[in-house]
Amino acid sequence: SLEDTRHSAIVYKASWVQNASGPNVNDPRTGEILESHINWYHNITELLHDWYFIQAATCDTAARKMIFDDNLMGKLITYVCSHEVGHTLGLAHNFAASAAVPVDSLRSKNWVDKNGICPSIMDYARFNYVAQPEDGMGEKELIGKIGVYDEWAIEWGYRWFPQLKTAEEEKDYLNKWVVKKLEDPRFLYAYSGAKSQTEDLGNDAVKAGRLGIRNLKKILPELTSWANLPNGNYDGIEKMEGLLVSQYQSYLLHVCEDIGGRYE
């Protein structure tokens, strides 16, 4: 029974809903997580396809079709699962993480190989839409992964400090640890504000958006080929065209929020 807090579970939901979530049950007196479960709706696979197609098809030839191979879809599912596991362990969304990355770095294969596209998988950074075909990026550089912020947040929440004998000693130590980490922008945390937007990448919304739009211009004339379904009609092409327009609007809104926006 999922009502029994002794058991954690992955809950598969045969549903048209395009979502996944990772709630947990915790002790209100201490914050200790007693049970967690991941709700996995089947149709998140369609959402992952659509995101990756629109954001990565110019760089990854495997994304240029309406039904992905199992190998690619498995990597996309791993990305979302890692995010949801973060929630089950107590991590909140960190929408400030992506703003710590210089936009130009997202076009460097060596840099992305080492650092990933975002310091936290708890951001909604999705996929590397900044990368251009000439940058030579593959799936490893296009798909998000667990970052340095996540590793440190888990250490902060779970590391045992046997040398600290009281709660006050531990609180003082942890607070000083946070202050020290703030010297590095990769460890910043925020949930809202102009530099804490969802679905964005990099520290410059104008530059990132311009590169994203450059990719959309390459995808648009290929839609009749890439979004075509064998023995089908034009539904796939129409759908992906609509998603392309939505992605374009997203880039514009990132800039609108950045100009004259509120910083937190």
Side-chain angles (χ1 to χ4, degrees), residues 25-260:
V25 178
N26 54 73
D27 187 331
R29 299 167 298 180
T30 64
E32 178 187 4
I33 296 174
L34 304 174
E35 180 269 353
S36 63
H37 53 279
I38 292 175
N39 294 312
W40 188 266
Y41 298 85
H42 177 83
N43 228 37
I44 184 112
T45 54
E46 183 173 352
L47 186 61
L48 287 168
H49 167 273
D50 295 347
W51 280 339
Y52 197 69
F53 183 110
I54 291 298
Q55 297 179 20
T58 57
C59 294
D60 186 358
T61 57
R64 299 172 185 177
K65 50 187 173 181
M66 293 301 287
I67 300 175
F68 288 167
D69 296 339
D70 288 349
N71 182 55
L72 173 56
M73 184 55 71
K75 291 175 182 176
L76 300 178
I77 287 173
T78 298
Y79 157 72
V80 173
C81 277
S82 300
H83 177 99
E84 302 308 340
V85 168
H87 283 315
T88 68
L89 295 173
L91 300 190
H93 291 133
N94 180 11
F95 297 139
S98 57
V101 180
V103 171
D104 290 339
S105 296
L106 294 169
R107 298 192 61 188
S108 167
K109 190 176 190 302
N110 291 335
W111 192 94
V112 177
D113 279 344
K114 181 180 178 180
N115 300 283
I117 64 174
C118 181
S120 176
I121 203 160
M122 304 312 295
D123 199 336
Y124 283 177
R126 310 307 184 196
F127 309 116
N128 190 354
Y129 61 76
V130 167
Q132 301 296 301
E134 62 268 24
D135 299 333
M137 302 286 192
E139 291 167 3
K140 183 180 177 182
E141 296 82 32
L142 297 172
I143 301 174
K145 61 183 180 180
I146 294 167
V148 292
Y149 171 88
D150 308 312
E151 293 171 350
W152 176 70
I154 291 296
E155 187 177 13
W156 188 92
Y158 286 88
R159 186 174 178 179
W160 181 44
F161 299 98
Q163 75 277 18
L164 305 176
K165 304 305 180 184
T166 67
E168 282 303 310
E169 280 186 87
E170 187 167 327
K171 183 177 180 180
D172 182 61
Y173 181 90
L174 291 174
N175 284 344
K176 289 177 180 177
W177 201 11
V178 168
V179 171
K180 180 66 176 175
K181 285 288 185 180
L182 290 180
E183 296 173 4
D184 186 333
R186 297 178 302 165
F187 297 102
L188 289 172
Y189 168 85
Y191 189 79
S192 60
K195 290 299 183 185
S196 304
Q197 299 190 63
T198 64
E199 318 294 337
D200 67 334
L201 283 178
N203 63 349
D204 185 330
V206 175
K207 182 181 285 187
R210 183 177 287 119
L211 290 165
I213 292 169
R214 186 188 297 176
N215 277 327
L216 295 182
K217 288 180 177 181
K218 294 184 177 81
I219 293 174
L220 183 59
E222 305 294 343
L223 282 181
T224 53
S225 172
W226 296 354
N228 186 40
L229 283 167
N231 304 313
N233 51 28
Y234 294 106
D235 287 352
I237 299 169
E238 183 180 18
K239 174 190 174 185
M240 299 315 296
E241 182 186 25
L243 290 169
L244 188 146
V245 172
S246 294
Q247 188 73 23
Y248 174 76
Q249 291 173 332
S250 179
Y251 297 147
L252 300 185
L253 290 172
H254 291 154
V255 174
C256 291
E257 183 70 24
D258 206 39
I259 297 175

Side-chain angles (χ1 to χ4, degrees), residues 13-29:
K13 299 177 182 292
S15 166
W16 289 107
V17 173
Q18 298 183 4
N19 197 19
S21 63
N24 59 59
V25 178
N26 54 73
D27 187 331
R29 299 167 298 180

